[in-house]
Amino acid sequence: MVLSEFIYFDNAVLAQLFGTLALIVILFDGGMQTKWNHVKPVLAPSLTLATFGVILTTLVVGFFAKFILDVGWLEALLFGSIVGSTDAAAVFAVMGSQNVKPRISTTLEAESGSNDPMAIILTLTCISLIQDPQTSIWGAILSFVLQMGLGVIFGLAMGKLAVWVINKINLDSSGLYPVLAMGLAILTFGITALLKGSGILAVYIMGVYVGNSDLTFRHSIFRFNEGFAWMMQILMFILLGLLVFPEQLSAIAWQGVAIAVMLIFVARPIGVFLCTIKMGFTLKEKIFISWSGLKGAVPIVLATYPMVAGVENSQLIFNIVFFVVLISCVVQGTTISTLADKLGLTQGEKVTSPYSFELVSMGKTNSEIIEIIIKKGSNTINKEIQELVLPDGTLITAVIRDDKIITPSGSTTLAENDILYILTSKKQRKTVKSIFIPQLETGTV
C-alpha cells in the first residue's frame, strides 16, 4: 500500500494471471504436504464443507452485503462468492506449523484445497448473471459437475504421469527435479483448464498423488515447493497492496470491517455447524474449524474477476475484500495457535526431523539416497547392519537416533524409530524399502 503511492498499478488482467500461477504453486505444495492416510477418514466433512459450506457462506455474506454495501442482490452474492472459500495458502501455512489433531487439521487442509472450484464457479456464475440475466442456473450446475469430474480425472492421471517421469528421467542436476515437478503441475492446470475442467482441483489432486508416492529427490522437491509457495504468497499480498488505493478505503472502512466481522462470527460458523451435523465433531472442534476459515490469496485473485469483466462496483468489491483478508489474517491467523491450546486440540510439540541427505548435482547418476524410518513391527529392529541382506551396491550412510547422527558400521544395531539414509540405485529403491517395512504394511504403496 505504501508502494502504491509511488508505483501506479491497476492492471487487473496481469494481477489475475499472476494470481492464477500463484494458486497453482500454492495448491501443488499443499497437495504434496497432505497425507492421504489422514485424508481418507475425513473425506465426507471436507467435501461437504468445500461445496455446501461455500454455498451457505456465500448466501449469508451476500445477505449482509446487500444491506451494508447498498448494492443489488447479484452484486452482493458476487461478493459472497469471492470470500466464500477458505484460502489454501493461509491454511497450509498456519496448519503446517501447528500440531493440531490430525483429523481437524486434515479436514481444514482438504477443505481449503478443494473448495476453490466452488468459489470460482459461483463467482463466474454471478458475473454471467449480472452481464446476461438469461444465463441458465442449470447450465452453471452442470458446468460445476463437469469441472469437478474432469479435475479429479486429470489430477489423478497427471499425478501418475508425473511420478513416472520424475522417477525415470535422468537429469544433469538434482536441482532440475523440483523445476520438472513444478512444470508438470502447471501443465496439469493448463491441460485441464483447456478441456473445461477445474485446473485448480486437478493441481491439488496431482499434488496429493505425487506427495504420497515413492519419489526420487523427494526432499529437494518438497523444499523447493515450500519456498516457492511462500514467495508466491508474499508477492500476492504485494499485488493486493498495489491494487488498493488508500484514499478510497476511509470511505468504506466501516462497511469492510462490518462484513469481515459478519463473515468470521456468523457466516462461517453457520456453514460449518450445518455441514458437520452428525459427522462426529465435538463443539470445540466445530468452533475451531469455524475460526480457521482463513482468507488470503484466493479472494485476492477472485476479486480481480469482476474488475476484468467490467462489473459495476468492482473496485468497491475489491476494496472490501481488502478488509476481509486483512482482518482474517491479523485476527484469525494470529490467534489460531492460542485457540487450539485453549480448546485442548493440540498434541504437544510438533516433531520433525532436522536432517535430510540427498545426492546433489551428481549428473546422470542412477544412484540416490533414500530416507527410511524403522517403524514398530519391522523385522530389522534389534538386528545388526551386517545381518541385513541388502542388494549389491547398497550402503547405509547414516543413522539418526534421538536427533543424533550415528556413523554406521556392520555392528550397529538398529532400533525402532531410527531414521536411515541409504545409498542405492534407483532401480533398487522398492526392494530396499521392502526390507524395512513392517509385515502389516507389506503391499502398501
Side-chain angles (χ1 to χ4, degrees), residues 210-434:
V210 172
N212 287 272
S213 299
D214 191 14
L215 208 62
T216 188
F217 293 109
R218 183 181 186 86
H219 290 291
S220 294
I221 294 173
F222 269 71
R223 286 196 300 269
F224 175 85
N225 288 344
E226 185 178 18
F228 201 9
W230 271 105
M231 185 180 75
M232 284 299 186
Q233 292 180 59
I234 293 169
L235 291 176
M236 276 308 303
F237 276 92
I238 290 175
L239 274 184
L240 170 61
L242 289 175
L243 283 170
V244 169
F245 297 96
E247 63 272 11
Q248 299 177 1
L249 297 180
S250 58
I252 49 93
W254 78 265
Q255 293 100 320
V257 173
I259 291 181
V261 170
M262 291 298 177
L263 172 60
I264 294 171
F265 292 99
V266 180
R268 171 69 177 177
I270 287 176
V272 170
F273 275 76
L274 289 179
C275 288
T276 55
I277 293 175
K278 294 184 179 180
M279 288 194 178
F281 289 99
T282 65
L283 177 60
K284 290 182 178 180
E285 291 172 340
K286 291 181 180 180
I287 292 173
F288 182 77
I289 293 173
S290 299
W291 190 253
S292 301
L294 300 174
K295 312 301 174 186
V298 173
I300 299 172
V301 176
L302 293 183
T304 64
Y305 280 51
M307 297 177 73
V308 172
V311 173
E312 187 179 0
N313 294 318
S314 59
Q315 188 63 51
L316 170 65
I317 291 173
F318 190 91
N319 291 339
I320 298 296
V321 167
F322 162 81
F323 282 99
V324 171
V325 172
L326 181 64
I327 292 174
S328 176
C329 289
V330 172
V331 177
Q332 292 176 289
T334 58
T335 56
I336 279 184
S337 178
T338 302
L339 181 63
D341 289 334
K342 294 291 185 182
L343 295 176
L345 301 178
T346 56
Q347 296 182 325
E349 186 178 352
K350 191 163 188 175
V351 179
T352 56
S353 175
Y355 304 98
S356 67
F357 290 82
E358 284 187 334
L359 289 178
V360 179
S361 299
M362 293 295 287
K364 295 186 177 181
T365 177
N366 288 319
S367 298
E368 65 174 327
I369 289 181
I370 60 176
E371 177 187 274
I372 292 177
I373 300 176
I374 299 181
K375 299 180 181 179
K376 183 178 181 180
S378 173
N379 292 329
T380 60
I381 295 175
N382 295 325
K383 280 189 176 182
E384 294 183 354
I385 290 178
Q386 61 191 3
E387 298 179 58
L388 304 179
V389 182
L390 299 173
D392 292 339
T394 299
L395 177 68
I396 298 177
T397 60
V399 177
I400 296 178
R401 183 179 301 161
D402 299 327
D403 290 338
K404 294 181 180 179
I405 299 179
I406 299 173
T407 301
S409 64
S411 60
T412 301
T413 302
L414 301 179
E416 184 180 342
N417 295 325
D418 277 356
I419 301 175
L420 309 183
Y421 290 95
I422 304 175
L423 176 64
T424 187
S425 67
K426 293 179 182 179
K427 293 182 179 180
Q428 299 289 357
R429 186 192 306 117
K430 289 187 177 181
T431 303
V432 172
K433 287 192 172 184
S434 66

Side-chain angles (χ1 to χ4, degrees), residues 117 120-121 124 140-153 192 195-202:
I120 293 172
I121 290 292
L124 294 177
I141 295 174
L142 180 62
S143 175
F144 168 75
V145 174
L146 179 65
Q147 287 198 46
M148 294 288 279
L150 291 177
V152 172
I153 293 171
T192 308
L195 297 174
K196 307 302 181 182
S198 173
I200 292 296
L201 180 61

Side-chain angles (χ1 to χ4, degrees), residues 29-41:
D29 175 62
M32 289 196 67
Q33 301 286 350
T34 300
K35 305 297 182 185
W36 176 241
N37 59 330
H38 292 167
V39 170
K40 283 192 292 185

